[in-house]
Amino acid sequence: MTSVKEFRVDAPATADSLGRGRFVFTDAYSVFDWGQMPDAIPRKGASLCAMGAFNFELLEDEGVPTHYRGVADPDTSEIVPLADATAPPTEMAIDLTQVPDLPYDGPEAGYDYDAFHAAGGENYLVPLEVVFRNRVPIGSSLRRRTDPADFGLDDLAGPDGDWPDEPVDLPEPVVEFSTKYEQQDRYLTREEADRIAGVAAIDALESLARDVNRVVTERAGAAGFVHEDGKIECLYVDGELRVADVVGTFDENRFSYGGRGISKEVVRQWYKANDPAWVEAVKEAKAAVAERDIDDWRELCERDPDPLPDEVVDAVSELYAAGTNAYTDREWFDVPDIEAALDAVNEL
């Protein structure tokens, strides 16, 4: 199980062929790489499954290869296209590839990607996240890693060359690469990403990410959303890249609606404002692990997160559900519309 969904194997992948399996979406959530948090958000799993399946089917219609095979109908358990599901699905059928272990050899040697690729051969999950950005919203890591001038936005910079206090549209989409299986995500140079990708071509990964970004951005605009940023993961098999994991949901991507953000960032910002001691403890633990022979910073974290209050859980649950209704143009959930859901979140 990952922090938010279970993983079931029907037929394992081999060195020569893909396997078959399912994602089972739960109502668990994760922020700041913590893993499963102490409570759950009702309807979140079904929201992500429906929205992810919707986007996979859009990609397939555009000729973008993916590992998606349909959803399990809640009434019959048969694998069907999303349009044929009789209720919000929570299981997604997928093709499986190999996911080798990534050995950690200590702070000096780091992670052994050569061993990872020796085990994966030419059928493996690329150990990268490919990030695309159309906008720099509040909370974006670009705000601490770059300046507006890096993107030709000198006229928007503050007195010290820093980012303004409102979202900024980028002149062109930006694609970045970060690690997937290291205990702490880190952004990579193109050369580092190319080495970590193995036999998968970095140019092809970027091209695939741009295709996904275009499709999701177009759909978001048609539904009244602005698509701000997101990421994909990819499998490599027989010389071909395919989009894997889940695509274009409120966990993987940031969207806004009428100028108001709708993504997991809502929960991150709540913890920053209401449980700052835990957020700081996470930051300190991540820094402290850098010189250790272990790579799991959670072992060094001195605090656990507080549960969300009931009113926050309810508001975030309705936001996920209302957002999915609006994005997919189908009333999967009996909840207020997205404007009302955003109003409730803003009142927290």
Side-chain angles (χ1 to χ4, degrees):
M1 178 168 176
T2 68
S3 57
V4 299
K5 55 184 180 290
E6 297 175 359
F7 184 66
R8 295 183 182 170
V9 178
D10 298 322
T14 69
D16 301 318
S17 64
L18 295 173
R20 295 289 179 96
R22 298 189 186 191
F23 286 141
V24 181
F25 291 77
T26 74
D27 291 333
Y29 71 97
S30 173
V31 290
F32 303 113
D33 302 320
W34 179 259
Q36 189 167 334
M37 298 291 280
D39 43 20
I41 298 174
R43 294 181 290 232
K44 176 177 177 288
S47 297
L48 296 186
C49 185
M51 196 169 175
F54 186 87
N55 282 314
F56 271 131
E57 292 179 7
L58 287 179
L59 292 173
E60 293 282 359
D61 289 344
E62 291 286 323
V64 178
T66 80
H67 74 163
Y68 172 78
R69 297 195 298 109
V71 296
D73 183 83
D75 291 335
T76 66
S77 297
E78 294 182 1
I79 303 303
V80 299
L82 181 64
D84 293 344
T86 57
T90 58
E91 295 189 20
M92 179 184 293
I94 56 172
D95 291 324
L96 303 180
T97 187
Q98 298 183 111
V99 184
D101 290 333
L102 178 61
Y104 179 68
D105 296 330
E108 293 187 7
Y111 290 88
D112 189 349
Y113 283 99
D114 289 339
F116 178 96
H117 288 297
E122 295 199 3
N123 180 10
Y124 64 96
L125 192 68
V126 179
L128 292 171
E129 293 185 347
V130 190
V131 181
F132 39 81
R133 304 183 186 278
N134 306 307
R135 172 180 275 196
V136 187
I138 304 302
S140 171
S141 69
L142 278 186
R143 290 179 174 265
R144 68 175 184 271
R145 297 187 289 112
T146 66
D147 297 317
D150 296 330
F151 306 98
L153 298 171
D154 309 60
D155 57 326
L156 298 180
D160 297 323
D162 50 355
W163 291 95
D165 293 332
E166 63 272 353
V168 174
D169 290 324
L170 292 166
E172 298 290 339
V174 171
V175 174
E176 299 185 291
F177 302 91
S178 70
T179 54
K180 164 66 180 170
Y181 291 119
E182 297 182 10
Q183 286 291 340
Q184 297 189 58
D185 296 340
R186 58 188 178 96
Y187 284 93
L188 305 164
T189 66
R190 195 175 186 87
E191 292 73 23
E192 288 176 312
D194 193 22
R195 179 180 63 82
I196 288 174
V199 292
I202 204 73
D203 289 345
L205 284 164
E206 178 177 348
S207 178
L208 193 58
R210 291 188 182 277
D211 285 342
V212 172
N213 183 39
R214 173 182 55 80
V215 171
V216 174
T217 299
E218 289 174 356
R219 174 58 203 170
F225 293 82
V226 173
H227 178 217
E228 297 182 335
D229 61 30
K231 67 176 180 66
I232 61 170
E233 298 170 21
C234 301
L235 67 83
Y236 179 89
V237 59
D238 296 332
E240 180 186 51
L241 285 167
R242 302 183 191 180
V243 182
D245 196 53
V246 184
V247 174
T249 75
F250 299 129
D251 272 10
E252 279 77 27
N253 299 55
R254 284 190 183 95
F255 298 87
S256 60
Y257 191 95
R260 295 186 286 182
I262 173 170
S263 73
K264 190 168 65 172
E265 186 66 24
V266 169
V267 181
R268 291 192 195 97
Q269 294 300 326
W270 187 90
Y271 273 99
K272 286 182 178 180
N274 296 279
D275 195 2
W278 172 68
V279 174
E280 183 60 26
V282 167
K283 182 179 178 180
E284 291 174 355
K286 287 182 175 181
V289 80
E291 302 302 323
R292 305 290 186 101
D293 287 332
I294 61 171
D295 63 339
D296 188 353
W297 56 268
R298 295 167 193 79
E299 296 181 20
L300 306 179
C301 194
E302 297 180 352
R303 297 181 65 96
D304 290 333
D306 292 334
L308 294 172
D310 290 344
E311 61 270 21
V312 176
V313 170
D314 292 342
V316 174
S317 171
E318 291 195 348
L319 184 62
Y320 272 89
T324 298
N325 285 349
Y327 187 90
T328 63
D329 194 26
R330 179 171 171 177
E331 294 298 311
W332 293 104
F333 305 99
D334 183 15
V335 293
D337 65 23
I338 190 169
E339 295 280 4
L342 284 163
D343 288 343
V345 166
N346 287 350
E347 292 172 2
L348 295 176

